């Protein structure tokens, strides 16, 4: 994520882009994960929450692999990132 934010940021805004990205990931993402995980753990218990999370992760990875393997034409371009 840091390299992507660094490459897409306008000149003079690299530190700001990294700050925003890290705030979203560290502040919002981890906080929401802890809150949702805690609620699930208190409702279903630790073992069931772990199992449900694992099943969700396997399904998500399977869907992602199927999507990427489908070979559909993507509508976005990564030419500005690779340059």
């Amino acid at each position: 994520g840091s390299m992507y934010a660094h490459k897409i940021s306008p000149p003079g805004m690299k530190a700001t882009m990294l700050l925003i990205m890290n705030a979203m990931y560290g502040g919002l993402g981890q906080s929401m994960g802890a809150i949702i995980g805690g609620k699930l753990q208190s409702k279903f218990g630790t073992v069931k929450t772990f199992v449900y999370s694992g099943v969700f992760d396997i399904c998500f990875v399977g869907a992602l692999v199927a999507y990427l393997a489908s070979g559909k034409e993507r509508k976005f371009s990564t030419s500005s990132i690779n340059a």
Side-chain angles (χ1 to χ4, degrees), residues 10-32:
M13 296 286 293
K14 293 187 186 318
T16 304
M17 288 295 285
L18 290 171
L19 173 80
I20 291 170
M21 187 209 58
N22 286 325
M24 290 294 112
Y25 174 77
L28 185 64
Q30 291 177 346
S31 298
M32 291 304 295

Side-chain angles (χ1 to χ4, degrees), residues 52-82:
Y52 294 156
S53 297
V55 169
F56 174 80
D57 290 344
I58 289 171
C59 292
F60 181 80
V61 168
L64 182 64
V65 167
Y67 173 74
L68 293 174
S70 70
K72 290 185 179 178
E73 183 78 22
R74 306 296 188 263
K75 299 242 188 239
F76 60 89
S77 171
T78 58
S79 60
S80 64
I81 297 171
N82 295 331

Side-chain angles (χ1 to χ4, degrees), residues 45-55 57:
T46 304
V47 174
K48 284 185 180 178
T49 300
F50 182 78
V51 170
Y52 294 156
S53 297
V55 169
D57 290 344

